């Protein structure tokens, strides 16, 4: 079993920054993708950013040049640095870890961008 613990959400003003963390523990295959998704009420969960064990990244167009995903393989931890935040970035952010047919989700952390 794999457990994901997220932290770093909160309230921030437009233009501000936040850094999310996702620490994974348990039986984790060495080659996995670590990612961040977000969801707003009434909408589907959408991919924000992903990073492979080799460091390849993928971003949603809406966050390119503002968000940066990184990971520390030794700690099985992924980070999402969010800069120049906009009100439309407000959502519950979920961490996901997956390989092959297996996928695991964190409990979610609220990010609210408001003045």
């Amino acid at each position: 079993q794999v457990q994901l613990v997220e932290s770093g959400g909160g309230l921030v003003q437009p233009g501000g920054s936040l850094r999310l963390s996702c620490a994974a523990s348990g039986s984790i295959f060495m080659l996995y993708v670590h990612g961040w998704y977000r969801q707003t009420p009434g909408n589907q969960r959408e991919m924000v950013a992903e990073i492979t064990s080799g460091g390849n990244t993928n971003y949603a167009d809406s966050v390119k040049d503002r968000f940066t995903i990184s990971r520390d393989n030794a700690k099985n931890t992924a980070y999402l640095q969010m800069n120049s935040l906009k009100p439309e970035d407000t959502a519950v952010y979920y961490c996901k870890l997956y390989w092959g047919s297996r996928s695991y989700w964190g409990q979610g952390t609220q990010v609210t961008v408001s003045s």
Side-chain angles (χ1 to χ4, degrees), residues 9-81:
L11 172 65
V12 63
Q13 292 186 341
S17 298
L18 281 175
R19 188 191 194 211
L20 305 182
S21 299
C22 174
S25 61
S27 301
I28 302 171
F29 184 59
M30 62 180 296
L31 298 176
Y32 62 90
V33 180
H34 219 148
W36 289 96
Y37 289 65
R38 66 188 182 187
Q39 188 171 25
T40 54
N43 294 306
Q44 290 189 332
R45 198 169 293 185
E46 63 174 1
M47 191 276 292
V48 175
E50 291 184 328
I51 184 168
T52 69
S53 55
N56 294 317
T57 58
N58 184 35
Y59 294 92
D61 288 341
S62 59
V63 306
K64 281 181 180 177
D65 300 323
R66 299 189 298 121
F67 291 10
T68 302
I69 189 170
S70 61
R71 62 191 275 170
D72 183 334
N73 288 332
K75 297 181 179 179
N76 289 328
T77 299
Y79 307 94
L80 184 68
Q81 179 65 43

Side-chain angles (χ1 to χ4, degrees), residues 12 16 38 49 57 60 65-66 78-79 83 93 95-96 98 100 102 105 110-111 115:
V12 63
R38 66 188 182 187
T57 58
D65 300 323
R66 299 189 298 121
Y79 307 94
N83 298 328
Y93 283 71
C95 176
K96 179 181 180 182
Y98 67 94
R102 299 191 179 193
W105 291 92
Q110 177 70 44
V111 172
S115 55

